[in-house]
């Protein structure tokens, strides 16, 4: 099964996303939860212990340097997750979106070993978090902290977490009704043209995603149309990430 990239982006723009029942399942179905988990960017909960981990730069953090590896880690079975909703068709679809600059990853490294991270889709000023993974204590928390800080810096307005978990709740996520979510979503993606004749697939995620992810990807020239005063790199160390989140949490 092939998932058309434009249809996938259009689905996100109306609050729908794909899932499967198992890694080896052939079918993909579309999900529209009645209650949606989001993480308000100004309400991220930075615990004292996580702040210490960030300030000490225990991990190295990058973006879009190992997207396929993060996706593969997220798709692997784990003791607390014997199966996965990321089947091969979904994996191919997000690899394609990454090549088109819509899907992005945050990677967390211990030395040269990839030990955690997350990936999702950026559209307008919304980021749709798809999955997180951790192979070291605090690795996924560090990834989420960096994501929130970079999103705040870049002017994002919506971090969609899809389904609530205890882990996300401790980080500041809240659950809202779908109709309230759609209002937030409409404001975040309303400026993105997604019609059948749209050239959106050639445009990539847009200026907000460039500001958020390009510096962490090792790119200094983002090609952003924004004024130079608005395109500085922003927080790029664990200490600066912790400082920004402490000031805004």
């Amino acid at each position: 099964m092939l998932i058309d990239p434009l249809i996938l982006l259009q689905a996100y723009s109306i609050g729908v996303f794909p899932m499967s029942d198992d890694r080896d399942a052939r079918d993909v179905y579309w999900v529209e939860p009645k209650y949606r988990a989001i993480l308000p960017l100004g309400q991220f909960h930075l615990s004292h212990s996580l702040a210490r981990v960030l300030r000490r730069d225990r991990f190295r953090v990058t973006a879009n340097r190992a997207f396929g590896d993060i996706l593969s880690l997220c798709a692997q079975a784990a003791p607390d997750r014997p199966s996965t909703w990321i089947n091969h068709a979904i994996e191919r679809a997000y690899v394609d979106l990454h090549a088109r600059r819509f899907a992005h990853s945050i990677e967390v490294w211990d030395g040269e070993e990839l030990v955690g991270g997350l990936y999702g889709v950026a559209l307008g000023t919304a980021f749709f978090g798809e999955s997180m993974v951790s192979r070291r204590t605090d690795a996924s928390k560090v990834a989420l902290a960096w994501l929130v800080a970079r999103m705040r810096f870049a002017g994002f307005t919506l971090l969609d977490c899809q389904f609530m978990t205890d882990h996300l709740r401790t980080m500041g996520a809240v659950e809202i009704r779908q109709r309230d979510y759609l209002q937030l979503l409409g404001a975040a993606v309303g400026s993105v043209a997604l019609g059948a004749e749209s050239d959106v697939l050639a445009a990539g995620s847009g200026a907000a995603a460039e500001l958020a992810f390009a510096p962490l990807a090792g790119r200094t020239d983002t090609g952003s149309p924004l004024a130079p005063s608005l395109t500085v790199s922003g927080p790029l160390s664990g200490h600066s990430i912790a400082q920004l989140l402490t000031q805004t949490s």
Side-chain angles (χ1 to χ4, degrees):
M1 177 179 181
L2 296 177
I3 303 175
D4 182 270
L6 182 57
I7 290 176
L8 184 51
L9 293 177
Q10 289 171 334
Y12 276 111
S13 74
I14 60 171
V16 180
F17 54 88
M19 294 187 72
S20 185
D21 287 323
D22 185 77
R23 175 67 172 160
D24 295 318
R26 296 178 60 87
D27 294 333
V28 171
Y29 54 89
W30 298 92
V31 181
E32 185 180 15
K34 292 183 179 179
Y35 290 88
R36 200 74 168 233
I38 65 168
L39 205 165
L41 296 177
Q43 297 179 29
F44 180 82
H45 176 64
L46 182 66
S47 68
H48 293 301
S49 60
L50 180 56
R52 285 195 299 271
V53 171
L54 291 170
R55 292 190 178 102
R56 292 172 181 170
D57 279 317
R58 173 185 167 193
F59 299 108
R60 178 169 60 93
V61 180
T62 60
N64 291 332
R65 297 195 191 186
F67 180 88
D69 294 328
I70 286 293
L71 181 52
S72 294
L73 280 178
C74 289
Q76 288 178 7
D80 61 339
R81 188 186 58 200
S83 185
T84 175
W85 56 268
I86 305 172
N87 72 356
H88 298 285
I90 288 174
E91 184 174 15
R92 288 192 296 269
Y94 288 98
V95 168
D96 182 32
L97 280 190
H98 175 65
R100 297 174 186 272
R101 308 193 319 279
F102 285 98
H104 305 274
S105 58
I106 298 286
E107 304 101 15
V108 179
W109 307 82
D110 187 352
E112 296 303 312
E113 183 181 0
L114 183 63
V115 295
L118 57 84
Y119 79 94
V121 173
L123 193 63
T125 59
F127 186 85
F128 308 93
E130 282 296 318
S131 189
M132 295 193 300
V133 64
S134 187
R135 294 292 184 264
R136 290 285 191 282
T137 301
D138 293 326
S140 63
K141 292 181 180 180
V142 167
L144 187 59
W146 275 75
L147 175 68
V148 169
R150 293 302 306 180
M151 286 180 64
R152 285 191 57 88
F153 166 74
F156 278 84
T157 59
L158 175 62
L159 173 50
D160 174 18
C161 303
Q162 297 182 346
F163 299 109
M164 180 63 78
T165 66
D166 291 340
H167 176 67
L168 287 170
R169 186 176 284 109
T170 65
M171 307 291 281
V174 298
E175 201 169 45
I176 61 175
R177 291 181 180 273
Q178 178 73 348
R179 64 171 179 265
D180 297 324
Y181 169 78
L182 290 176
Q183 290 182 341
L184 298 174
L185 177 63
V189 304
S191 63
V192 182
L194 286 168
E197 303 301 321
S198 170
D199 61 355
V200 67
L201 291 178
S205 294
E210 287 292 298
L211 282 175
F213 300 112
L216 293 179
R219 292 172 51 200
T220 56
D221 177 14
T222 65
S224 171
L226 302 179
S229 62
L230 298 178
T231 58
V232 294
S233 294
L236 289 173
S237 70
H239 185 275
S240 62
I241 293 294
Q243 185 177 32
L244 186 150
L245 292 175
T246 299
Q247 291 172 347
T248 58
S249 294

